[in-house]
Amino acid sequence: TGVQTCALPISISLHAPNQKIRETIIPSAKNYEIENIIEDCKQYVRDTGRRVSFEYLMLSGVNDKIEHANELSNLLKGFQCHVNLIQYNQIDEVEFQRASLKNLQLFQSRLFHNGIAVSLRKSRGLDKNAACGQLRQNTRNK
């Protein structure tokens, strides 16, 4: 009998379809090229048989256009993965804006039609300024 290992699920904060956009969203991204991330994820899937989840924060005018969905589809095609689209929660001190619901739905639809498993994470707490990222920012301001 062989020893069986249990691979942990993996989730990557990708947030962009290419390196240039990723570096504008995540300054530390310049330390790890997006192509290397994808290759490492493909190897993980080959080694474990488990899919990889990619977190993708939707930012108006930054990464939410149909061409971004097509670029992301091309980047991720050919291996077992899932994209979790996330609505951005507005923070006063940050210049990013929330993508429109229409753009979110078009983006999700394009990924789906391109063969990429995708879901849309609903935001909670936005009406109380207590959504992800907002509580941390509110605490820092006090």
Side-chain angles (χ1 to χ4, degrees):
T1 65
V3 176
Q4 198 170 28
T5 60
C6 180
L8 295 173
I10 189 168
S11 180
I12 305 292
S13 296
L14 196 62
H15 307 309
N18 62 53
Q19 185 67 23
K20 183 178 178 184
I21 294 173
R22 192 161 190 269
E23 287 179 16
T24 65
I25 299 169
I26 309 168
S28 64
K30 57 181 73 90
N31 298 326
Y32 197 14
E33 292 286 329
I34 199 168
E35 290 79 12
N36 294 337
I37 293 170
I38 300 306
E39 283 309 311
D40 288 348
C41 289
K42 288 179 179 180
Q43 187 62 51
Y44 172 85
V45 172
R46 286 191 294 270
D47 290 348
T48 67
R50 298 191 67 153
R51 79 176 183 183
V52 175
S53 291
F54 293 101
E55 305 298 316
Y56 194 97
L57 186 64
M58 298 289 291
L59 302 169
S60 180
V62 176
N63 65 355
D64 67 333
K65 297 182 171 80
I66 289 297
E67 55 263 29
H68 297 135
N70 287 330
E71 190 175 5
L72 184 63
S73 298
N74 288 332
L75 183 69
L76 301 180
K77 70 181 174 188
F79 76 107
Q80 190 178 0
C81 67
H82 176 266
V83 175
N84 188 25
L85 299 178
I86 304 166
Q87 290 180 292
Y88 176 65
N89 299 316
Q90 200 67 41
I91 300 171
D92 291 337
E93 292 77 15
V94 179
E95 78 250 17
F96 294 126
Q97 300 292 314
R98 186 181 193 130
S100 70
L101 185 57
K102 179 183 175 188
N103 281 11
L104 269 157
Q105 291 169 337
L106 289 171
F107 198 98
Q108 181 181 18
S109 178
R110 181 57 59 98
L111 288 179
F112 178 79
H113 288 299
N114 287 343
I116 305 297
V118 59
S119 60
L120 175 59
R121 183 192 304 166
K122 297 290 184 188
S123 183
R124 295 192 176 119
L126 190 60
D127 58 331
K128 297 178 183 85
N129 206 28
C132 183
Q134 291 180 323
L135 283 175
R136 179 177 175 271
Q137 190 64 35
N138 289 341
T139 302
R140 293 173 115 194
N141 291 339
K142 289 183 180 176

